[in-house]
């Protein structure tokens, strides 16, 4: 497996509070990798630290062979890493079309029309709502827009932070199916942070369990789904 994202020995702090404690994690080319864990385990911190916020205190972060540990955030944002952050954070007063333009802007609008067609193929609903303001979309549509906006920058790696948050079960299912399609049909590599361990482990080729800022388990998604410890902590009402 060729690593696209490679994190080793990563530690990060908020002031004197240590949020990450020596994390080792890899996302290979063409892989879907999930990170699961309870509230406050440090999942979002890990994802944000890829963009240097917070900065790594120790350890290295390599993307596509390049050391990005100390790279300024605005430069990391111009690499082929796109993010759909927790809470989606679409531009609520901008239209769907303008949101997609914002996504394309980071990549200098390379392949804009083709990407637009691709995104409409994946999310036909967005095409019907092009002139609608982001803030007036349903939760599921906003999540679709957040992913679509990320795809407009031709990413090699898509980072998804809690895409299922606050969505109805059926809508979650659609979002996860879309991520699967993007991986299988477009070869997109995906790093997924999720509290919904069941869906995440079903979708992911491999997964990591984060507890109190440290990786405690890792393995194939299907194996972790069957693991008694994982089941007790994250799948059986825990
Ligand atoms: P959740 O699923 O609730 O989003 P998480 O696993 O993503 O949780 P983080 O949000 O990464 O967890 O938080 C990890 C730890 O860092 C928590 O103890 C949290 O209180 C702390 N933390 C997060 N953001 C900040 C911040 N901006 N300033 C100070 N402490 C923070």
């Amino acid at each position: 497996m060729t690593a696209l994202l490679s994190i080793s020995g990563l530690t990060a702090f908020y002031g004197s509070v240590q949020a990450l404690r020596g994390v080792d994690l890899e996302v290979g080319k063409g892989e879907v990798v999930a990170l699961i864990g309870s509230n406050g385990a440090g999942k979002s911190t890990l994802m944000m630290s890829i963009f240097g916020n917070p900065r790594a205190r120790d350890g290295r972060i390599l993307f596509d062979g390049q050391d990005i540990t100390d790279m300024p955030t605005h430069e990391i944002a111009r690499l082929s890493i796109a993010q759909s952050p927790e809470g989606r954070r679409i531009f609520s007063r901008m239209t769907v079309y303008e949101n997609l333009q914002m996504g394309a802007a980071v990549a200098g609008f390379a392949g804009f029309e083709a990407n637009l067609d691709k995104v409409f193929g994946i999310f036909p609903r967005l095409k019907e709502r092009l002139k609608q303001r982001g803030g007036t979309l349903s939760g599921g549509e906003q999540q679709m827009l957040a992913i679509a906006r990320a795809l407009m920058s031709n990413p090699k790696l898509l980072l998804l932070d809690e895409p299922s948050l606050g969505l109805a079960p059926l809508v979650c299912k659609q979002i996860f199916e879309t991520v699967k399609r993007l991986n299988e049909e477009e070869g997109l590599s995906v790093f997924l942070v999720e509290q919904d361990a069941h869906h995440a482990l079903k979708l992911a080729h491999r997964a990591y369990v984060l507890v109190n800022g440290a990786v405690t388990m890792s393995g194939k998604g299907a194996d972790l789904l069957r693991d008694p410890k994982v089941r007790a902590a994250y799948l059986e009402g825990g």
Side-chain angles (χ1 to χ4, degrees), residues 14 19 38-45 86 162 195:
Y14 292 108
S38 315
N39 269 323
K43 303 183 298 299
S44 298
T45 302
E86 185 174 0
E162 306 246 3
Q195 271 201 59

Side-chain angles (χ1 to χ4, degrees), residues 33-227:
V33 172
L35 180 67
I36 62 169
S38 315
N39 269 323
K43 303 183 298 299
S44 298
T45 302
L46 177 60
M47 187 155 283
M48 294 303 297
S49 70
I50 296 167
F51 288 91
N53 178 29
R55 283 264 158 224
R57 176 83 59 94
D58 293 297
R60 308 294 339 147
I61 305 173
L62 304 183
F63 174 68
D64 217 3
Q66 187 177 9
D67 191 335
I68 61 168
T69 321
D70 300 317
M71 197 182 264
T73 297
H74 67 273
E75 282 181 28
I76 300 170
R78 273 195 242 120
L79 302 172
S80 312
I81 310 177
Q83 187 198 23
S84 170
E86 185 174 0
R88 305 188 261 278
R89 292 197 229 132
I90 54 154
F91 302 105
S92 58
R93 273 178 292 196
M94 289 187 181
T95 64
V96 167
Y97 186 72
E98 287 163 345
N99 268 276
L100 295 175
Q101 283 181 313
M102 295 299 283
V106 261
F109 294 92
F112 182 72
E113 294 298 333
N115 285 341
L116 210 52
D117 280 346
K118 189 169 78 184
V119 157
F120 291 156
I122 302 163
F123 302 110
R125 187 98 57 100
L126 293 181
K127 190 174 184 182
E128 294 161 18
R129 286 166 169 67
L130 264 193
K131 292 188 184 138
Q132 195 171 323
R133 288 186 186 214
T136 65
L137 297 172
S138 73
E141 289 163 355
Q142 289 189 19
Q143 184 60 62
M144 290 173 198
L145 179 56
I147 295 174
R149 184 180 60 184
L151 295 176
M152 291 300 291
S153 64
N154 309 308
K156 285 185 189 162
L157 178 65
L158 177 64
L159 306 180
L160 290 175
D161 195 348
E162 306 246 3
S164 75
L165 199 70
L167 301 182
L170 191 64
V171 182
C172 289
K173 198 162 165 262
Q174 286 169 353
I175 297 285
F176 283 106
E177 275 166 9
T178 304
V179 174
K180 188 166 194 267
R181 242 183 87 193
L182 286 168
N183 171 256
E184 286 175 355
E185 293 173 18
E186 311 278 337
L188 187 66
S189 307
V190 180
F191 181 41
L192 169 75
V193 163
E194 213 10 284
Q195 271 201 59
D196 181 343
H198 180 74
H199 277 109
L201 294 177
K202 256 177 88 175
L203 171 71
H205 299 114
R206 290 188 309 109
Y208 295 82
V209 179
L210 196 67
V211 177
N212 197 16
V215 171
T216 55
M217 288 176 87
S218 64
K220 286 186 182 163
D223 290 343
L224 290 178
L225 200 54
R226 283 191 296 264
D227 186 278

